[in-house]
Structure formats: structure tokens, C-alpha cells
Amino acid sequence: MTIKRILCAVDGSKVTGRVAGCAVELAQATRAKLTFVVVNVVPTRMRRTHYWDAESMTAAAAQSNKQLAAAVKIAKAVEFTGYQCVVASGSSVADAIVDYAAKNKADHIVMGTSTTNELARLLLGSVAMAVVSHAKVPVTVVK
């Protein structure tokens, strides 16, 4: 299997550094292009409106930049330049990741999970589990 495009989902959590590090190593080893993606969750009721004020837009952009910063720092630390950063949006993080991967022809997805409690995973669901279940490409889940 040839890997040409890797999608790395980051969220600014504690595992973001490990996730980004894994994705950068994989991209370097395969000479693939790497895209760091952060997902802005847009509630269903908000998707129906066309009006977003400047304050809301600025806050969303600042949050996205903050979430991507750790991943960018990891790439820069090893002088890896073959990456880009994007923001996807949707009402479901997992669906946004899977949809972005499909539309942009990603060959591989790298993402993290911080859920360690089985009961929490059963009750709350898991973004990683949903991505693994629905993605059409291999998914590496970093803990």
C-alpha cells in the first residue's frame, strides 16, 4: 500500500503532541503530504443561519489556531515542512474527519484517543471508534 496523503486530526488535547509526532514520522517515512485538521463543531441550529458575527468568527479562528499550534510545533521541531493546516466543520467530529478524508483523497488517517474508561466509551461513544468504523482508509489511533 502506498501512502501519499495523510490526514492527522488534532484537537489540542493532551495526546495531540503524540498524535502529531506519529503522523510526522509516518509522513517522513513514506514521503507523504500531511494535513493537520481541526474540526469546528457547528450545532445543527447554527448551520441553518447564514449570519455569524465578527466576534464569533474571530473566536472560532483563535480556537482552531490554538488547537493546531501543538501539531505545527512538532513538525517544525524536526524541520518537516510537507504539511498544511486546515479547519473542517460539521455537527459531528467523526463525520467531519471521515468526510474530509474522503473528499481530499487521504490514504491514511492518524488521530488520538484519550478515553481510557470502558464505561465512558460505552456511554459517551468515541470519536476514534466512529472514525475507525466509517473511514474507507486505514486509521492509526494513538493513545
Side-chain angles (χ1 to χ4, degrees), residues 29-103:
T30 60
R31 297 183 181 186
K33 294 179 181 176
L34 174 60
T35 300
F36 293 117
V37 64
V38 65
V39 177
N40 281 341
V41 177
V42 180
T44 303
R45 69 186 187 297
M46 293 296 287
R47 286 187 290 149
R48 295 185 193 137
T49 181
H50 297 286
Y51 177 75
W52 285 62
D53 64 25
E55 188 174 328
S56 297
M57 295 296 285
T58 301
Q63 180 67 22
S64 297
N65 290 338
K66 183 178 178 183
Q67 291 173 327
L68 289 163
V72 169
K73 184 177 179 180
I74 296 292
K76 286 182 176 181
V78 295
E79 299 179 358
F80 179 73
T81 59
Y83 70 90
Q84 66 175 347
C85 296
V86 298
V87 178
S89 61
S91 57
S92 159
V93 173
D95 289 345
I97 293 167
V98 171
D99 291 346
Y100 188 91
K103 288 177 186 170

